[in-house]
Amino acid sequence: MAIRHCARVSKLVGELLELAKLDSYEVRVKREPFNLRELLQDVVQKFQLKAEEKQIKIETDIQETLPFVNADIALIERVMENLLENALDYKPQGGSVSLSLTPEGEDILVKVSDTGCGIPEDQMPYIFDRFYQLEKRRSGEEGHSGLGLAIAQKILDLHGKSITVTSSQGSGTSFSFHLPFI
């Protein structure tokens, strides 16, 4: 139990430091062309075991050939990890999480959706606030700081992009954002 609590505190401190760096503009966006499809596949692979343990199927909808995007690969990886981790953690056992990459104009739409219970409408305005967590944990898991979505939003702000959320009680939640391709 002590080890679990130490790991939780360590993760919280790491996320606080990360957010402080993002806020102070100490982190500089290092744009470079990269294959978003490959990055998404790497992120999915990191969470595959966790998904299998919870009997959640991770589905991807990605075209074989997509243009490269122009963004900071490490920061975008962090956004995708945060969104996928939230989707898995707030999703009860069973069901699915889907990730898609869709060309739209001069951008690629990145979308992470789950078949969970959704976010109550009265809580939607607060989900990107620091330390905010839904009133009732859907998975019963501990260890979340309520900083993941705030970090994702700040990273996308630094890229000049925004993140949107749609949710329906009983049907699930979708987070999406656009990245420019080259």
Side-chain angles (χ1 to χ4, degrees):
M1 183 147 89
I3 291 171
R4 194 171 57 234
H5 287 297
C6 285
R8 182 175 184 218
V9 169
S10 177
K11 182 178 179 185
L12 175 61
V13 169
E15 287 178 339
L16 284 169
L17 289 172
E18 181 179 10
L19 195 53
K21 286 179 183 180
L22 291 167
D23 279 342
S24 69
Y25 298 97
E26 188 177 313
V27 173
R28 300 280 182 229
V29 175
K30 297 174 187 134
R31 293 181 189 273
E32 61 181 301
F34 66 91
N35 187 326
L36 190 57
R37 181 179 190 272
E38 289 178 5
L39 178 64
L40 182 66
Q41 289 172 333
D42 289 347
V43 170
V44 167
Q45 190 173 22
K46 286 180 190 178
F47 289 94
Q48 196 64 49
L49 181 60
K50 183 177 187 172
E52 288 171 6
E53 288 171 355
K54 293 185 74 176
Q55 299 173 351
I56 297 173
K57 183 177 180 183
I58 298 178
E59 302 169 340
T60 57
D61 180 14
I62 309 168
Q63 293 179 7
E64 282 297 316
T65 56
L66 285 173
F68 279 33
V69 295
N70 188 30
D72 186 311
I73 190 170
L75 293 177
I76 296 304
E77 179 177 21
R78 181 69 163 131
V79 170
M80 291 168 44
E81 288 172 348
N82 285 0
L83 295 178
L84 184 53
E85 184 174 29
N86 273 3
L88 292 172
D89 287 347
Y90 281 92
K91 169 83 189 81
Q93 246 184 334
S96 65
V97 172
S98 65
L99 297 100
S100 65
L101 301 177
T102 309
E104 283 190 357
E106 306 225 347
D107 291 337
I108 294 180
L109 173 67
V110 180
K111 190 172 190 178
V112 178
S113 304
D114 66 54
T115 58
C117 54
I119 300 169
E121 193 174 323
D122 63 330
Q123 294 185 43
M124 289 287 280
Y126 309 107
I127 61 169
F128 293 103
D129 292 352
R130 294 164 193 215
F131 303 109
Y132 187 78
Q133 296 182 26
L134 293 178
E135 286 177 11
K136 185 174 156 186
R137 293 281 309 168
R138 305 299 193 248
S139 64
E141 292 180 22
E142 292 183 14
H144 290 273
S145 62
L147 293 173
L149 291 177
I151 289 170
Q153 183 180 46
K154 186 63 181 175
I155 288 170
L156 290 169
D157 285 348
L158 290 171
H159 279 81
K161 298 295 181 180
S162 61
I163 185 168
T164 59
V165 60
T166 56
S167 187
S168 177
Q169 291 245 234
S171 299
T173 304
S174 293
F175 289 90
S176 59
F177 61 94
H178 289 85
L179 290 175
F181 57 75
I182 53 172

